[in-house]
Amino acid sequence: MDVFIASKRNRRGRRFCFVRYGRLEEAKRALWSLDGRWFSNHRLTVSMAKFKPRDALWRKANGREVRQHT
């Protein structure tokens, strides 16, 4: 298991982190058991990360969308 705790906050001002599990079953079990639990006066919200493929990256340039080359 790998854990990354971001020093920034998301757009809503909430702290976040990423946890990488070795197996999908472990991740699903963590999601099921931790979502909605309270930890140190904070309610945990747990969800699976949503990844976008590299070819779906876009950026705006001069008011129009331009495909980003990576």
Side-chain angles (χ1 to χ4, degrees), residues 5-19:
I5 301 173
S7 59
K8 299 188 230 178
R9 294 176 183 254
N10 69 7
R11 287 180 269 171
R12 297 179 184 166
R14 297 179 181 172
R15 295 187 184 277
F16 64 96
C17 75
F18 294 97
V19 179

Side-chain angles (χ1 to χ4, degrees), residues 16-55:
F16 64 96
C17 75
F18 294 97
V19 179
R20 181 174 30 196
Y21 289 91
R23 296 177 27 190
L24 181 61
E25 294 82 20
E26 295 172 348
K28 287 181 179 180
R29 190 176 322 125
L31 186 137
W32 179 80
S33 64
L34 293 175
D35 191 35
R37 293 252 176 146
W38 287 87
F39 178 77
S40 183
N41 294 330
H42 299 282
R43 184 172 181 256
L44 299 177
T45 303
V46 181
S47 62
M48 293 293 248
K50 298 168 187 80
F51 296 101
K52 294 181 182 178
R54 285 176 93 51
D55 61 347

